[in-house]
Amino acid sequence: MPDRGGGPTGPRIRVGRPSRRVRTLLMTLGVLAVLAMLFVMFAGFWTDWLWYRSVGFSSVFSTTLWTKIGLFFVFGLLMAVAVGLNIWLAHRLRPPLSAMSVEQQSLDRYRMSIAPYKKWVLLGVTALVGLIAGASASGQWRTWLLWVNGVPFGSKDPQFGMDVSFYAFDLPWYRFLLGFGFAATVLSLISAALVHYLYGGLRITSPGARATAAATGHLSVLLGIFVSLKAVAYWLDRYGLAVKSSDLKSTDNWTGLKYVDANAYLPAKTILFCIAVICAVLFFATLWRRTWQLPVIGFGLMVLSAVLIGGLYPAIVQKFQVQPNEQAKEAEYIQKNIDATREAYGITGAKVSDYTGVSNTKDNAKLRADADTTASMRLLDPNVVSPTFQQLQQVRGYYGFPGTLDVDRYKEDGKEQDTVIGLRELDISGIPERNWINDHFKYTHGYGAVTAKGTQTKSGGAPDFTESDLPAKGDLGTYEQRIYYGEKTSQYSIVGGPQKELDYSDASGEKLYSYTGKSGVNLSNPVNRAAYAVAFNEPQILYSGAIGEGSRILYNRTPKERVESVAPWLTIDGDAYPAVVDGRVQWIVDAYTTSNGYPYSSRTTLGDTTADSLTDGQRAVVAQQNQVNYIRNSVKATVDAFDGKVKLYEWDTKDPVLKTWKKAFPGTVKPKSSIDPDLMQHLRYPQDLFKVQRELLTRYHVTNSVQFYSGSEVWQVPNDPTTKSGNAVPPYYLSMKMPDQQAQTFSLSTTFTPKGRENLGAFMAVDADAKSPDYGRIRILKLPSNTTVSGPQQVQSKFNSDTDIANEINILKRGDSEVEYGNLLTVPMDGGLLYVEPVYVRGAGTNYPLLRKVLVSYNDQTAFRNTLVEALDEVFGEQGPSRPSPTEPPGTEQPPSQDPTVREALDDAQKAFEAGQKALQEQDWTGYGKAQDDLQAALKRAADAEAKADQKGDGKSAGEKPGR
């Protein structure tokens, strides 16, 4: 039927057309602009594909890409068809030509202007909504993959008896479909109403019927679909109550049904579902009755019911039934929340034992002996000594160590030794001459690992290095020392081509090298070079003569970045750490599978829970889902520091979320049995998981609902007393034994204080040694609620307020020296708690911290001595076994060595140090390297001479030696 139209038209104005040459030029420019935009888009896609192929995870890229493309086209097409069909149908159902009203006359000009372009308008509108809907749907690729590959958890929620997988995998997808259905229906309804109005199917001011029968039927069907979707939403809301967030008096971030949910909201949702179904039927019935009277009444009843049944009734139940006796009413639901939360966070097996906190043992000799065997006190704090590593082992200004070093275990004389380790990574800011060639071709990698004993230092307080120098040598043996991938390596490098790299420098000069690994993307192909020139916004990549046959570009070089890229479905721990494994430096990265849909389990915000006084941008947790209520350390990943190769190993073999992702990305995760035994020696319990669990255990160590509700046993993680940040104390790795253990094991530990108080409330440790049969077992020592045992803040305050200690601290601060406190270690021993804290001094001349004193406290007895041995002897009034005192600095209480060889060596060391500082100021890197070599040689001569002197005095006990 022809559109209405007609009426006079205005005079035509002839506009001169541009010349043919101009038109050709404009067309050419337009084509070139389109080609440029297409190539920019292609460059991003192509470089991503090349990178994933280079790391051997092309299946992750293709699976993710095709899933996004599929969702984009399927849901984009569905939305376009839904909206387009309803626009077409509304146009098709327009009324015939009739008497013109004032309203219709005013609409005529719009109809006339649209008439020649109706098809293009239809295509344009449908294409636009389709693109928007498709783009939105493609972002749901994780939800789709979880739904289509989901495996059962094997446990059911206590309210509906549904497997947990329904809430974790199915319900999110159903909610997305429901949201998409609502969007399609609303857009179709709006579009159809506009078309009906434009062509007279709907009238606002015209006399007579406000809508034609055809328009009434069409819009009623759409409204019926909308109400039907609302009925589905009410039904899904019933299950959504099991994962709904709310607050309870006893806890925040509560998830699951409470009394009012089970006894008011749940029946209300069921009633509203039934009303919505009836209302939808009434809307569909207008196809025959051609009147909106009953549907409007039904819709009004549904809205009124939603207010009264869905809002007012639950409020009445909460006010008059729950609040007067909340504890009794909520007890059943609190217990469900406790059980689900403990299961979801892996803390069900946490063992809580009573602990007095005060030792009644009178045998000081036994206490002194136990102090040596209960824990290997780590005096070298990895959070403090990085500047010392930097000063003594940087060697060249373009190398650097991370601000916080790592703690691992390496064998010494067949026994495991807690070891502080850091890699000498490339620090691009220290390159003497900054330019494109130096930044990306010449200075490409760091060199070597540096390790030091965690439990002792050298005379003078410097770390006792077990692997040092450049090239590194020591206890680690022979290994590939070049560090192309690391935490500080964020820039891209081009290696393996005509331009040689600086390998390292020594006294004989610079050593050059050309990369022989298979990592990175080959740039021999001109298409690849052009793509990377565009992707990195660096035109020189396209034409530089430094790039040729064999050139490879390395990027995405931090361990966390690489693991997150190849496994975008994992949440990455904030602290990757290096280990020398089978002759290679491997970065070990802990990764988690998480979910936000575990019924009844309380939610936690990863970014907040994992923050402590040491968290910074380098150590922050990488999380796709910030809020979670289920977490497992399901994957251990490694990144080779030389060739960047990424390996993912299954760790939690029972985790259903990991099983689901393995179905979605088959072949990407290796079985746990393929973990090399040498690698297993260095795997440990991850810090971020421990921090999440300790935060939950501040409340969920209580398993009785009544006690949980009262909040009388709530703990808190104390602030770090050694800093002024006001942030939580970090957990510490330490080899120790808990009261029920027979031998020391590598552990991760923390303390708790009662909420609002500073005395100690509990001590928590987890077996962190991956080789241990008790790996992951959480032990909690709970102190009596009326205890007066000092917590970390109080112990630190006692240290600071002790007059004798304060005087010695002031002496250490003389001149411009600064005092820094190391980790305040807490160890349960013989019913009491032993606190040990190393004290460092950053001298004005050295400007890096050296261990000078050790603070020890036990049963309120405090000592502040040069060595741990002396401090323990003083606290317990007994001398420990004869052994060297590694932390004793010369010039405090021990007289200088009278051995002329030692004196001569120390003089040479001082001269070498001064020469190195002068060379450093003048940026004479060759001279600085030579001075460092001389310094190390002199210190070695002094150490050898002291060792010989000690051998002569073997007949004397440690207590008989001067200064001991």
Side-chain angles (χ1 to χ4, degrees):
M1 185 173 293
D3 295 320
R4 298 191 187 90
T9 59
R12 295 184 178 179
I13 302 174
R14 301 181 64 87
V15 180
R17 298 178 63 188
S19 67
R20 187 170 187 177
R21 179 178 298 177
V22 173
R23 293 200 307 271
T24 302
L25 178 61
L26 292 175
M27 186 176 296
T28 302
L29 292 175
V31 171
L32 290 176
V34 171
L35 290 176
M37 292 175 60
L38 290 175
F39 187 77
V40 170
M41 296 171 61
F42 166 78
F45 162 81
W46 185 242
T47 52
D48 285 347
W49 163 250
L50 291 174
W51 186 86
Y52 275 96
R53 190 177 66 175
S54 73
V55 293
F57 283 84
S58 55
S59 62
V60 173
F61 178 81
S62 58
T63 299
T64 305
L65 178 66
W66 286 115
T67 302
K68 290 179 178 179
I69 291 175
L71 292 172
F72 177 86
F73 279 105
V74 168
F75 286 95
L77 186 62
L78 285 174
M79 181 65 77
V81 168
V83 175
L85 179 62
N86 280 281
I87 292 175
W88 174 83
L89 188 60
H91 180 266
R92 183 72 180 269
L93 295 175
R94 66 192 184 278
L97 192 64
S98 60
M100 299 293 290
S101 65
V102 176
E103 182 181 16
Q104 293 304 313
Q105 289 177 1
S106 65
L107 291 174
D108 253 352
R109 55 186 174 186
Y110 296 109
R111 288 192 286 262
M112 289 172 55
S113 61
I114 292 175
Y117 310 106
K118 286 188 297 186
K119 291 183 178 179
W120 292 110
V121 170
L122 178 62
L123 290 175
V125 171
T126 55
L128 178 63
V129 297
L131 287 172
I132 295 173
S136 175
S138 66
Q140 297 293 323
W141 64 270
R142 289 186 180 88
T143 308
W144 161 260
L145 289 176
L146 285 173
W147 178 70
V148 78
N149 296 288
V151 300
F153 274 66
S155 58
K156 298 181 179 181
D157 81 280
Q159 181 67 42
F160 302 101
M162 304 288 288
D163 190 272
V164 173
S165 61
F166 171 78
Y167 301 94
F169 306 144
D170 300 342
L171 191 58
W173 178 250
Y174 296 152
R175 287 194 180 281
F176 164 72
L177 292 179
L178 185 64
F180 179 83
F182 273 122
T185 303
V186 169
L187 288 175
S188 298
L189 184 62
I190 293 172
S191 302
L194 288 174
V195 173
H196 279 301
Y197 175 69
L198 184 63
Y199 289 99
L202 291 177
R203 303 180 183 90
I204 298 177
T205 61
S206 300
R210 299 297 185 190
T212 63
T216 299
H218 184 196
L219 296 179
S220 294
V221 169
L222 290 175
L223 287 170
I225 294 174
F226 178 86
V227 177
S228 298
L229 291 173
K230 189 60 179 174
V232 175
Y234 282 134
W235 189 257
L236 288 181
D237 284 346
R238 298 168 69 253
Y239 299 104
L241 292 172
V243 290
K244 176 180 68 72
S245 291
S246 60
D247 291 336
L248 190 71
K249 177 182 177 182
S250 55
T251 182
D252 300 325
N253 298 317
W254 170 284
T255 302
L257 286 82
K258 298 183 294 183
Y259 179 89
V260 69
D261 298 314
N263 294 278
Y265 280 111
L266 185 57
K269 296 292 183 183
T270 305
I271 294 172
L272 289 172
F273 164 77
C274 297
I275 294 174
V277 170
I278 295 172
C279 187
V281 172
L282 293 176
F283 273 108
F284 290 132
T286 57
L287 287 172
W288 296 276
R289 292 179 55 86
R290 302 293 183 179
T291 176
W292 278 351
Q293 185 176 5
L294 286 178
V296 169
I297 293 174
F299 189 78
L301 177 62
M302 187 179 74
V303 172
L304 183 62
S305 301
V307 174
L308 296 178
I309 303 175
L312 185 60
Y313 174 62
I316 293 174
V317 171
Q318 178 69 26
K319 179 71 174 178
F320 295 102
Q321 291 189 34
V322 177
Q323 287 186 5
N325 192 18
E326 188 175 44
Q327 178 176 309
K329 294 291 186 183
E330 301 290 7
E332 174 188 351
Y333 306 98
I334 292 174
Q335 192 61 54
K336 292 176 181 178
N337 174 262
I338 292 173
D339 296 340
T341 301
R342 288 172 64 87
E343 176 63 31
Y345 288 94
I347 56 178
T348 302
K351 179 185 177 183
V352 181
S353 305
D354 291 331
Y355 193 73
T356 61
V358 178
S359 175
N360 293 320
T361 304
K362 303 301 182 182
D363 187 349
N364 287 342
K366 180 181 183 303
L367 290 173
R368 180 63 186 87
D370 288 346
D372 288 330
T373 60
T374 300
S376 298
M377 293 299 180
R378 183 171 42 74
L379 300 177
L380 200 65
D381 187 350
N383 313 307
V384 174
V385 298
S386 179
T388 308
F389 273 53
Q390 187 83 1
Q391 183 66 40
L392 300 181
Q393 290 297 321
Q394 180 188 27
V395 182
R396 294 291 183 268
Y398 44 81
Y399 292 133
F401 293 92
T404 300
L405 304 176
D406 290 290
V407 179
D408 202 350
R409 296 139 294 156
Y410 288 89
K411 288 188 176 180
E412 181 184 20
D413 299 328
K415 295 182 179 180
E416 281 193 349
Q417 161 79 36
D418 288 0
T419 303
V420 176
I421 182 172
L423 297 188
R424 189 185 288 109
E425 296 186 46
L426 178 68
D427 182 1
I428 194 171
S429 64
I431 295 176
E433 184 68 31
R434 297 293 301 276
N435 55 58
W436 188 65
I437 293 294
N438 279 350
D439 286 359
H440 300 288
F441 290 83
K442 185 175 181 180
Y443 296 90
T444 59
H445 59 278
Y447 209 98
V450 176
T451 62
K453 295 178 181 179
T455 55
Q456 64 187 65
T457 62
K458 284 185 175 180
S459 176
D464 187 359
F465 293 112
T466 55
E467 182 83 9
S468 58
D469 300 335
L470 182 68
K473 52 185 178 291
D475 295 348
L476 298 182
T478 303
Y479 62 98
E480 174 56 68
Q481 298 193 19
R482 298 176 179 90
I483 311 297
Y484 281 89
Y485 294 88
E487 291 180 303
K488 297 173 71 70
T489 314
S490 56
Q491 79 283 0
Y492 71 88
S493 290
I494 299 176
V495 298
Q499 177 69 46
K500 296 293 184 181
E501 311 163 45
L502 173 65
D503 203 20
Y504 64 90
S505 298
D506 59 16
S508 62
E510 293 183 348
K511 308 294 183 184
L512 300 181
Y513 178 73
S514 186
Y515 186 67
T516 58
K518 300 300 181 184
S519 184
V521 178
N522 197 321
L523 291 181
S524 300
N525 187 330
V527 175
N528 292 357
R529 293 178 65 171
Y532 278 102
V534 172
F536 287 177
N537 195 26
E538 184 49 75
Q540 294 185 79
I541 294 178
L542 186 60
Y543 56 78
S544 173
I547 303 175
E549 189 65 32
S551 291
R552 310 180 72 86
I553 185 168
L554 313 180
Y555 62 104
N556 287 354
R557 297 170 70 181
T558 67
K560 289 191 290 186
E561 191 175 30
R562 292 181 79 78
V563 175
E564 187 185 26
S565 296
V566 303
W569 37 274
L570 290 174
T571 297
I572 311 303
D573 189 89
D575 184 28
Y577 61 98
V580 178
V581 180
D582 291 332
R584 312 279 287 196
V585 176
Q586 300 282 354
W587 288 98
I588 300 175
V589 183
D590 284 287
Y592 311 107
T593 46
T594 60
S595 175
N596 197 24
Y598 197 101
Y600 277 98
S601 173
S602 291
R603 290 188 171 92
T604 185
T605 304
L606 288 181
D608 296 338
T609 308
T610 58
D612 59 35
S613 63
L614 301 178
T615 306
D616 53 26
Q618 188 70 32
R619 299 189 65 175
V621 66
V622 180
Q624 285 84 24
Q625 302 177 56
N626 197 33
Q627 268 214 336
V628 303
N629 68 353
Y630 172 91
I631 187 169
R632 289 290 186 273
N633 177 212
S634 54
V635 171
K636 301 283 189 181
T638 61
V639 177
D640 193 292
F642 178 70
D643 62 19
K645 186 174 181 60
V646 181
K647 293 181 181 179
L648 306 177
Y649 296 100
E650 179 184 32
W651 186 248
D652 190 333
T653 57
K654 298 179 180 179
D655 178 30
V657 181
L658 177 60
K659 291 178 181 178
T660 297
W661 286 120
K662 286 176 65 178
K663 283 181 62 180
F665 297 97
T668 56
V669 181
K670 298 178 182 294
K672 186 175 184 178
S673 58
S674 64
I675 297 178
D676 186 273
D678 196 14
L679 173 61
M680 187 69 77
Q681 299 282 334
H682 299 280
L683 298 183
R684 67 189 192 188
Y685 202 82
Q687 290 189 65
D688 284 338
L689 176 60
F690 184 78
K691 286 188 279 188
V692 169
Q693 290 174 329
R694 76 171 179 179
E695 182 63 32
L696 267 296
L697 283 167
T698 58
R699 288 183 178 272
Y700 288 93
H701 65 279
V702 176
T703 57
N704 179 273
S705 60
V706 175
Q707 191 178 27
F708 185 92
Y709 178 85
S710 70
S712 61
E713 292 293 330
V714 175
W715 299 333
Q716 64 186 16
V717 179
N719 292 337
D720 189 350
T722 65
T723 70
K724 297 180 180 179
S725 65
N727 294 324
V729 63
Y732 294 123
Y733 287 107
L734 182 71
S735 288
M736 57 170 288
K737 63 179 179 181
M738 293 288 277
D740 64 336
Q741 292 179 298
Q742 300 302 314
Q744 292 183 21
T745 186
F746 192 63
S747 304
L748 190 56
S749 63
T750 190
T751 52
F752 296 109
T753 58
K755 190 172 181 64
R757 297 167 60 193
E758 292 187 347
N759 57 286
L760 196 66
F763 177 86
M764 170 180 166
V766 63
D767 192 329
D769 188 349
K771 309 183 302 299
S772 170
D774 282 343
Y775 171 84
R777 182 178 179 185
I778 298 174
R779 296 175 172 89
I780 301 175
L781 302 180
K782 178 179 175 293
L783 279 71
S785 57
N786 59 350
T787 182
T788 57
V789 176
S790 299
Q793 289 278 7
Q794 292 174 325
V795 170
Q796 188 69 48
S797 297
K798 288 180 181 178
F799 287 159
N800 296 339
S801 60
D802 185 284
T803 305
D804 295 335
I805 294 177
N807 289 336
E808 293 196 54
I809 291 290
N810 289 331
I811 293 174
L812 294 175
K813 289 181 177 179
R814 62 183 180 270
D816 292 327
S817 298
E818 298 178 7
V819 171
E820 296 184 31
Y821 294 101
N823 36 223
L824 179 56
L825 302 175
T826 309
V827 176
M829 187 188 79
D830 291 321
L833 288 142
L834 177 65
Y835 288 96
V836 175
E837 182 178 54
V839 178
Y840 296 82
V841 175
R842 188 189 291 261
T846 57
N847 200 31
Y848 57 89
L850 295 173
L851 183 63
R852 293 301 190 190
K853 295 281 187 177
V854 179
L855 282 161
V856 172
S857 176
Y858 186 82
N859 277 6
D860 289 330
Q861 297 296 317
T862 302
F864 184 54
R865 311 303 278 168
N866 293 332
T867 70
L868 176 61
V869 172
E870 290 181 350
L872 291 173
D873 289 348
E874 180 176 331
V875 164
F876 296 109
E878 293 283 342
Q879 290 187 346
S882 175
R883 62 179 179 178
S885 182
T887 63
E888 190 165 24
T892 52
E893 293 184 5
Q894 178 179 345
S897 174
Q898 300 302 315
D899 191 316
T901 306
V902 175
R903 290 202 307 273
E904 181 181 357
L906 291 176
D907 289 341
D908 291 343
Q910 181 64 28
K911 293 176 182 178
F913 175 77
E914 293 171 355
Q917 293 298 305
K918 182 179 179 181
L920 189 62
Q921 293 175 356
E922 297 174 355
Q923 293 192 349
D924 178 6
W925 305 115
T926 302
Y928 181 75
K930 184 179 183 304
Q932 290 296 308
D933 293 338
D934 293 342
L935 175 61
Q936 292 296 324
L939 291 174
K940 187 176 186 306
R941 282 192 287 119
D944 292 342
E946 279 194 344
K948 291 179 180 178
D950 285 343
Q951 289 176 0
K952 296 179 181 179
D954 278 345
K956 298 180 179 181
S957 68
E960 295 171 338
K961 292 182 181 180
R964 299 295 171 93

